[in-house]
Amino acid sequence: MSEFLMLSLVPLLVAGLCSLSCALLGNFLVLRRQALIGDAISHVALPGIVASFLLTGTLAAPAMLVGAGAAALITLALIELIRRLGRVESNAAMGVAFTTLFALGVLMLEWSGASGVHLDVEHALYGNLESLVWFEGTRPAALWDPQALAGLPPQLTRVAWVALLVGLFMMLAWRPLVLGSFDAAFAASQGARPGPTQLLLVVMVAVAAIAAFEAVGSILVIAMFICPPAAARLMTDRLSHQLAWSQAFALASAVLGVVLAGHGPGWLGIDAGLSAAGMISVVAGLILLLACRFGPRRHRAAPPPG
Amino acid sequence: MDAWLAALTLSAGYNTRLVTLGALLLGAAAGMVGSHVLLRQRALISDAVSHATLPGLAAAFILIALVQGDGRWLPGLLLGAAASAALGLAAVQAMSRHTRLGEDSAIGAVLSVFFGLGVVLLTVIQAMPVAGQAGLSGYLVGATAGMLASEAYLLGAMALGLLVALVILRRPLLLLCFDPEHAWTQGVDLRRTDTWLLGLLLAVTVVGLRVTGLILIVALTIIPPVTARFWTDRPHTLVIIAAGAGALAGYLGVTLSSVHPRLPSGALVVLAAFTLFLVSLLIAPRRGLLAHLIDRYRFVRRVHCRQGLLALARNEAIFDPTTLRILRRLGHIRRDGLATAQGRAAARDAHHEERLWMHYRHAYPEEAAQLGARRLEPISRLLPPDLIDELERRLPLESGEK
């Protein structure tokens, strides 16, 4: 029991909260066909983190978060600029922007020798759920002990706050979000302001992604944004049901992923651990696969274009 | 700096020369393939393809390591990468064709899930007592530094083969992008050409794994075509310029990275490509930013000139200082604001043209609206002579013509 509390509880909670908040936002990204904005934001976390490390000399979480946030904002601005001036489709503009910034991040990383320090490419990409150990979690009573609770890894509190923020955002911006996802012109005519809502949605996506980086790394956050909502989309036609399904799938992916990564090799007799973040995205992918094959609402209403 | 110059002139050693040539060919191939993918509006599918190579790469490494103890054997690794990338591509196609998810969701899902599987396999490798694990990270961000000559030959040959295939397939590929019906009447099988295109994209990605790494090969397929877009509107020219831009980026990036072992080749290639993009954005002749600003400046001047002349023709006073300045500089008015003989003649012409335009707008409103800013150019340059004659005949005779 104490081993569970010390080693597994916090990763489970962090992974769970991350995937719940990402999946919630991801519903609207999938509906608006903007899933790849998560791709872009995830990739530019690396240069943001490297830049903040080079500027502040510290790997403390606030500095990293600010760095990643600034990188996300710069990327969004760059994408808009390239789209307007180059007159190319938004996907191509996204591709130019985030790959360049990522390359810049890699260059800064290698050239400054920062790769020798704790900040290496792998961790920023793959995350580090396994390292979230709660040293004070030695017995069940620790769950009520304020002193023991104070020793919880700070990632947990951060992720919890972000989950709260996302939930609040959804409640407050529900109507503009829904209207804007289905009919932007109608939304505008109803005063639901699709433009600012879109911007706010992207900002929330960036916030949730940045909070999740520490847990699952930047590339795998994309799985959390897309796979559970996509699977949910194939299960139902009703938006409220879709949100519920996405939360269920997200929680399942997180829990199964962490458990399989930590204990799966043990069940096979191998004494090692697998990447929890990777496992989470694999489970999410499997759920999506099952939904693609058996989901009740998986078929298109109209014939596919082109 | 001297080291870079040496590398640029291909005199920095045999290996560097090989790798540079390979990167050049790769850049050209990536630029060409990327142009077609861009024209098909599927630019980010290369991201899915590149990330989906990781599980195959890792699995191949495991198999090779089990056989020979050290997992680094380039042909085997590339084969594994190609296999899983093909699977990923098939998954994207299947998801976007047979379910109601958009292609963006399909790309994102495949990208992250396959990469996640690859990461899991990487942790398996970490637990295995085999050699060569550190070399795998070179496939993420590129590592030309430790490349063997045989590897460079293989990559160069593959890139060359890709270029040849692209040249052979260029007509069907372009038709696929622009005129599917025409292609069908010409007997071009569109589904097969589409598959060929994606296959070529896969091949470019796999070849580029070692040079730029899987995360950055995407850049080489997107940035050169977008760069070329600034220089031309014609698809055929676009493909050629993209190939050139890609080749130049590969050449500059790899030579620069050979100067110092800590300079990552993939990142420098991408940054070189972006620099070319930036330069094109600024200075490209008709579509660049500078050209836009110059055009705008010229347009504003023409508007002022035309309005000023019309005011002269109607004997109205001109108050706007910019208009006065422009008219003065053109010699249409004197210092004190009175029209010169040249100015009076120009005003008469302007007035005449305005009336012709009025009638044209009346008779053909849509065509007139389409002309937009060109409306200020001399009418004889824009409309055919018989149309101008017809408009002239419509001018009502006014008394006291100015």
Side-chain angles (χ1 to χ4, degrees):
Chain A
M1 185 60 188
S2 69
E3 201 187 85
F4 173 77
L5 282 179
M6 208 186 299
L7 298 173
S8 311
L9 180 65
V10 178
L12 275 174
L13 284 176
V14 169
L17 285 170
C18 279
S19 45
L20 286 176
S21 24
C22 288
L24 206 54
L25 291 170
N27 276 295
F28 292 99
L29 290 180
V30 168
L31 283 172
R32 289 164 182 239
R33 316 249 154 172
Q34 288 172 347
L36 291 170
I37 196 92
D39 188 13
I41 292 181
S42 312
H43 278 88
V44 302
L46 180 77
I49 292 172
V50 174
S52 87
F53 174 71
L54 290 176
L55 286 173
T56 65
T58 169
L59 274 176
M64 271 190 3
L65 295 176
V66 167
L73 285 175
I74 293 175
T75 312
L76 292 172
L78 198 60
I79 293 173
E80 253 329 273
L81 204 70
I82 296 174
R83 210 168 57 83
R84 299 234 175 142
L85 288 175
R87 275 167 305 147
V88 287
E89 52 152 350
S90 60
N91 275 0
M94 257 193 260
V96 176
F98 80 70
T99 51
T100 305
L101 284 176
F102 192 86
L104 203 59
V106 170
L107 183 63
M108 287 193 292
L109 195 63
E110 299 287 317
W111 184 244
S112 68
S115 54
V117 195
H118 299 295
L119 182 75
D120 53 325
V121 183
E122 272 91 38
H123 275 163
L125 289 176
Y126 311 150
N128 226 343
L129 266 177
E130 303 84 348
S131 73
L132 298 174
V133 176
W134 184 25
F135 292 105
E136 283 79 3
T138 47
R139 60 202 198 292
L143 286 169
W144 295 274
D145 182 6
Q147 219 173 7
L149 287 174
L152 282 170
Q155 283 88 344
L156 182 57
T157 27
R158 262 202 292 277
V159 159
W161 275 115
V162 169
L164 201 63
L165 202 63
V166 170
L168 220 65
F169 169 69
M170 294 296 270
M171 281 196 303
L172 293 175
W174 176 253
R175 199 168 151 271
L177 267 178
V178 175
L179 284 179
S181 302
F182 292 107
D183 195 338
F186 177 65
S189 72
Q190 296 289 301
R193 301 204 187 210
T197 312
Q198 167 67 15
L199 186 61
L200 212 55
L201 176 66
V202 172
V203 167
M204 288 308 297
V205 165
V207 169
I210 291 165
F213 285 150
E214 274 190 288
V216 286
S218 48
I219 308 275
L220 300 167
V221 167
I222 306 172
M224 285 180 159
F225 273 119
I226 298 183
C227 295
R233 176 114 181 79
L234 301 175
M235 300 296 289
T236 174
D237 279 332
R238 300 183 51 181
L239 184 59
S240 46
H241 289 197
Q242 182 184 318
L243 287 173
W245 275 113
S246 73
Q247 299 293 275
F249 287 151
L251 200 60
S253 317
V255 171
L256 280 174
V258 173
V259 166
L260 281 173
H263 302 279
W267 295 335
L268 292 173
I270 308 170
D271 180 29
L274 297 174
S275 161
M279 206 45 111
I280 295 175
S281 38
V282 170
V283 173
L286 285 173
I287 295 178
L288 179 58
L289 184 66
L290 288 173
C292 283
R293 285 293 285 123
F294 303 115
R297 291 281 179 274
R298 65 186 180 282
H299 293 296
R300 299 175 171 274
Chain B
M1 200 57 205
D2 300 316
W4 190 23
L5 276 168
L8 281 175
T9 51
L10 300 178
S11 43
Y14 185 64
N15 259 12
T16 315
R17 222 178 314 160
L18 265 184
V19 174
T20 308
L21 281 175
L24 204 132
L25 291 170
L26 172 73
M32 285 180 87
V33 171
S35 319
H36 295 292
V37 174
L38 181 74
L39 289 170
R40 289 280 279 157
Q41 312 259 25
R42 307 175 78 185
L44 280 175
I45 200 161
S46 7
D47 212 10
V49 172
S50 65
H51 283 79
T53 57
L54 190 64
L57 205 57
F61 186 92
I62 293 174
L63 285 174
I64 298 170
L66 285 174
V67 164
Q68 66 168 29
D70 181 332
R72 287 172 301 182
W73 183 53
L74 191 67
L77 291 173
L78 292 187
L79 217 63
S84 69
L87 201 63
L89 208 54
V92 172
Q93 300 277 77
M95 252 196 276
S96 34
R97 275 207 195 118
H98 300 298
T99 68
R100 61 185 191 176
L101 295 173
E103 191 177 66
D104 61 324
S105 303
I107 290 175
V110 164
L111 194 159
S112 49
V113 170
F114 272 69
F115 195 78
L117 182 60
V119 168
V120 170
L121 290 175
L122 282 180
T123 50
V124 168
I125 292 176
Q126 268 171 5
M128 284 170 65
V130 291
Q133 298 162 5
L136 270 182
S137 72
Y139 285 88
L140 279 178
V141 292
T144 52
M147 219 193 281
L148 301 171
S150 57
E151 294 175 340
Y153 271 131
L154 179 62
L155 292 178
M158 285 173 75
L160 196 61
L162 276 173
L163 279 175
V164 169
L166 280 164
V167 169
I168 293 176
L169 285 172
R170 72 185 183 287
R171 261 198 90 244
L173 284 174
L174 281 175
L175 283 173
L176 175 72
C177 303
F178 287 104
D179 204 341
E181 284 98 27
H182 178 69
W184 182 73
T185 63
Q186 296 287 303
V188 174
D189 185 340
L190 286 174
R191 290 280 289 248
R192 208 157 49 125
T193 313
D194 201 25
T195 314
W196 272 110
L197 178 60
L198 292 173
L200 287 169
L201 179 64
L202 196 143
V204 162
T205 307
V206 164
V207 173
L209 282 181
R210 194 60 204 274
V211 179
T212 60
L214 68 88
I215 302 186
L216 294 172
I217 186 65
V218 183
L220 215 52
T221 54
I222 299 186
I223 304 185
V226 173
T227 309
R229 188 77 188 78
F230 281 108
W231 295 90
T232 178
D233 276 333
R234 302 168 55 195
H236 200 61
T237 326
L238 184 89
V239 173
I240 295 177
I241 297 184
L248 193 58
Y251 174 62
L252 291 173
V254 166
T255 49
L256 194 53
S257 80
S258 69
V259 167
H260 197 286
R262 263 218 315 249
L263 288 174
S265 53
L268 285 171
V269 168
V270 173
L271 290 173
F274 184 73
T275 313
L276 291 173
F277 164 80
L278 213 55
V279 166
S280 305
L281 185 141
L282 289 174
I283 68 167
R286 266 187 305 132
R287 277 161 286 272
L289 191 60
L290 243 64
H292 272 304
L293 292 175
I294 293 176
D295 271 343
R296 175 144 181 83
Y297 173 71
R298 280 211 195 114
F299 177 68
V300 167
R301 281 195 51 165
R302 275 210 205 110
V303 170
H304 277 286
C305 180
R306 175 58 66 90
Q307 292 300 89
L309 287 175
L310 289 178
L312 281 181
R314 293 191 288 258
N315 258 344
E316 291 164 359
I318 305 173
F319 297 108
D320 186 83
T322 322
T323 316
L324 289 170
R325 185 166 35 94
I326 291 175
L327 287 176
R328 215 173 285 144
R329 205 172 290 168
L330 286 170
H332 294 323
I333 57 174
R334 298 194 321 228
R335 274 282 182 83
D336 56 4
L338 279 180
T340 58
Q342 174 194 322
R344 281 196 294 275
R348 268 197 301 275
D349 288 337
H351 181 67
H352 185 77
E353 286 226 358
E354 274 303 304
R355 290 169 67 209
L356 286 177
W357 276 117
M358 219 169 58
H359 285 283
Y360 182 62
R361 233 182 13 245
H362 203 263
Y364 305 97
E366 286 107 24
E367 286 90 327
Q370 279 199 0
L371 278 172
R374 304 195 61 199
R375 222 277 259 143
L376 288 175
E377 292 175 30
I379 195 169
S380 50
R381 253 198 261 161
L382 292 167
L383 300 181
D386 49 338
L387 183 54
I388 297 180
D389 272 340
E390 184 195 319
L391 291 172
E392 296 266 8
R393 274 197 296 274
R394 290 206 198 169
L395 283 181
L397 293 165
E398 289 177 5
S399 55
E401 263 268 59
K402 291 195 180 58

